Amino acid sequence: MTVATTLFRFEGSYAREVPGLSVPWTAAVAPAPELLVLNEELAAELGADPAALRDPAGVALLAGQAPDGVPTVAQAYAGHQFGMYSPRLGDGRALLLGEVIDTGGRRRDLHLKGSGRTPFARGGDGKAAVGPMLREYLMGEAMGGLGIPTTRALAVVATGEQVFREMPLPGAVLARVAASHLRVGTFQYAAASGDRDLLRGLADYAIARHYPEAADASNRYLDLCRRVAEAQASLVARWMLVGFIHGVMNTDNTTISGETIDYGPCAFMDAYDPGTVFSSIDERGRYAYGNQPQILQWNLARLAETLLPLIDENGEAAVEAATDVLSGFAESYERHWAQGMAAKLGLAAPDPELTADILKLMRLQKVDFTLFFRALSAGTARALFAEPEPFDAWSARREGLLSADRAAMDGVNPVYIPRNHLVEEALEQATGGDMEPFHRLVDVVSRPFGERAGLEDYARPAPVGSAPHVTYCGT
């Protein structure tokens, strides 16, 4: 038995069952791997011994040095990036180490980022820096703590070499766990190949892995499309309810499973404004906070296009059926959003007018999104408004519609989110070698609903007068 199989019992169903959508490849050697952070809870969930992962052999595996007998592959996919189609993207600096059956019986991918150039690399060095890899770890734990479906990082390993961006930075490899790495872009790649059997094999694999109930549907491929749309409607509604902005909602970053993936230029909104954009590369605001539901529907339309030949041999009938599914996305999203907002506001039932009115008032008076809902349950929200009289009128309307007590509202309204200025401070210190602020922040945001003494600074937005926050696509 190899070292790797004593840590994980790897399987390779994707490469085996859908040949043509990945290529065998090996990671670049990390000259001096050093474990920066290990997610022991997730390791145990995967059935691994955290202590063994901290040993040299475990750290080497997490850095990509899989022993003989453990095939690693780079996955192929295409995608629309900021609306522009790229026919060949793929894992340019990433590798699928293998699949693990976790302690709950679920099949999950163990995947690397920053492990070196692959055949899908497009001019980059295939490496990653410590800061962006730690950001993905942090954001995954924050989203998991908020109850939002997400990929999660198992570990970040410093490689012992420098990567060159605007300046030399310490290199790192991220080990990430996902329900799978099947994306809308994976289907786009398969469809563009013109190989109907490849496309059907991918769809059947996705059904078996994520939506086995669809196998019994009268039209399994239409049902797959419908189930992905429902999963994504629920996901983006949850994003919106906590003020999360993904920042780069390309089709290659839209999963079939309904998990959040690729925490690059992501951030959480401070003052409520649907036009909020943090990403340095989103110059036109395509992926602004308020645009996320419509962008998700657009991405799903690209998925539906790939499935048309499988849905019905009659092209018109296939388009009609797929259009019906896409039309249902908006209704599903609105249902998830309305129900979530009712819970956040403590209402007995959704009230679209009351919700729209308070959001408009928050936008006009630049009220912090996270602070407002928490203060609402505490009875202190009035103090957040520079001109409180309109809030008083709204609050009087709300009184007769209440059903939830403070504890119920606090159970859905976080007190702690990854405040942008705190994230940047922690990552800067970690890049310089001080990991303590990072570990502290991870602990805070992974338990976001219970207020804890001594953590007041973690609940506050950036100081007034701070420069606008900008994020970069470093992952």
Side-chain angles (χ1 to χ4, degrees):
M1 183 176 289
T2 66
V3 173
T5 54
T6 63
L7 294 167
F8 296 103
R9 294 185 178 180
F10 283 125
E11 297 184 3
S13 68
Y14 181 66
R16 182 178 65 252
E17 296 179 26
V18 196
L21 291 178
S22 61
V23 295
W25 204 253
T26 56
V29 175
E34 177 188 356
L35 185 65
L36 295 181
V37 57
L38 175 68
N39 193 330
E40 296 198 356
E41 175 194 345
L42 181 56
E45 198 174 285
L46 296 174
D49 178 5
L53 288 173
R54 291 185 180 278
D55 287 341
V59 174
L61 175 66
L62 294 171
Q65 305 313 304
D68 294 339
V70 182
T72 55
V73 300
Q75 295 170 303
Y77 49 85
H80 279 85
Q81 299 189 316
F82 288 87
M84 302 297 291
Y85 180 65
S86 295
R88 191 174 188 268
L89 296 173
D91 286 338
R93 55 171 178 169
L95 288 174
L96 178 61
L97 271 182
E99 302 148 16
V100 178
I101 306 301
D102 70 14
T103 55
R106 299 169 296 179
R107 181 179 297 273
R108 301 169 82 176
D109 283 357
L110 182 55
H111 187 258
L112 301 178
K113 254 182 155 179
S115 52
R117 288 176 53 83
T118 78
F120 300 108
R122 293 170 293 159
D125 61 10
K127 304 297 177 64
V130 164
M133 298 302 95
L134 290 176
R135 178 191 294 277
E136 180 143 350
Y137 186 106
L138 171 68
M139 287 296 180
E141 290 308 284
M143 295 291 269
L146 289 164
I148 297 173
T150 182
T151 58
R152 293 176 67 190
L154 175 61
V156 176
V157 177
T159 59
E161 63 182 351
Q162 298 285 299
V163 297
F164 294 90
R165 302 298 183 254
E166 292 80 7
M167 63 183 72
L169 296 169
V173 174
L174 172 85
R176 179 174 69 190
V177 175
S180 84
H181 285 77
L182 299 181
R183 315 153 188 260
V184 171
T186 315
F187 280 80
Q188 291 180 290
Y189 187 94
S193 73
D195 186 337
R196 185 76 60 87
D197 290 336
L198 178 64
L199 178 62
R200 182 178 288 106
L202 173 62
D204 287 342
Y205 180 84
I207 289 169
R209 185 155 178 178
H210 295 300
Y211 305 105
E213 303 88 350
D216 298 324
S218 58
N219 188 324
R220 60 164 50 197
Y221 305 114
L222 182 63
D223 198 51
L224 169 64
C225 191
R226 181 179 294 110
R227 290 175 186 274
V228 174
E230 171 60 26
Q232 287 288 346
S234 173
L235 176 66
V236 75
R238 294 185 189 193
W239 288 2
M240 299 294 285
L241 290 166
V242 295
F244 175 74
I245 303 169
H246 185 280
V248 60
M249 291 176 64
N250 300 328
T251 58
D252 56 294
N253 290 335
T254 303
T255 61
I256 300 304
S257 66
E259 286 185 333
T260 312
I261 194 171
D262 281 340
Y263 293 103
C266 61
F268 282 76
M269 181 171 58
D270 290 316
Y272 176 75
D273 182 350
T276 302
V277 174
F278 293 115
S279 172
S280 64
I281 58 176
D282 194 2
E283 296 177 353
R284 298 184 179 181
R286 176 182 175 87
Y287 299 143
Y289 169 78
N291 289 346
Q292 293 181 128
Q294 293 86 351
I295 288 295
L296 218 301
Q297 187 176 38
W298 191 91
N299 289 353
L300 290 168
R302 308 288 77 77
L303 173 66
E305 288 171 352
T306 71
L307 293 173
L308 290 177
L310 303 181
I311 290 172
D312 201 305
E313 293 289 343
N314 182 312
E316 291 185 5
V319 169
E320 183 177 352
T323 300
D324 182 62
V325 168
L326 294 171
S327 299
F329 170 85
E331 179 182 344
S332 179
Y333 167 76
E334 288 297 334
R335 182 180 70 255
H336 288 296
W337 162 258
Q339 291 172 347
M341 282 302 298
K344 288 176 76 69
L345 293 170
L347 304 180
D351 189 314
E353 184 177 357
L354 196 69
T355 298
D357 288 348
I358 191 58
L359 291 176
K360 179 180 179 180
L361 187 57
M362 291 167 66
R363 177 178 59 81
L364 291 173
Q365 298 204 30
K366 297 180 172 57
V367 174
D368 186 89
F369 187 77
T370 303
L371 285 181
F372 169 75
F373 290 101
R374 196 71 183 198
L376 188 64
S377 67
T380 59
R382 187 179 194 272
L384 299 176
F385 293 84
E387 299 176 12
E389 291 77 12
F391 171 75
D392 292 339
W394 177 87
S395 184
R397 292 164 54 199
R398 170 178 172 264
E399 281 298 320
L401 302 173
L402 291 176
S403 70
D405 58 18
R406 177 174 179 175
M409 291 177 64
D410 285 352
V412 296
N413 291 316
V415 62
Y416 309 112
I417 58 170
R419 291 287 182 178
N420 302 321
H421 63 295
L422 297 177
V423 171
E424 296 308 318
E425 289 172 9
L427 295 181
E428 182 177 356
Q429 290 171 296
T431 299
D434 182 5
M435 290 290 295
E436 179 55 33
F438 174 82
H439 289 302
R440 179 70 162 164
L441 186 56
V442 169
D443 176 69
V444 172
V445 300
S446 62
R447 294 183 287 159
F449 296 106
E451 193 165 356
R452 287 174 273 167
L455 300 182
E456 292 79 11
D457 287 347
Y458 290 89
R460 299 188 184 106
V464 175
S466 299
H469 184 64
V470 179
T471 60
Y472 300 91
C473 197
T475 61

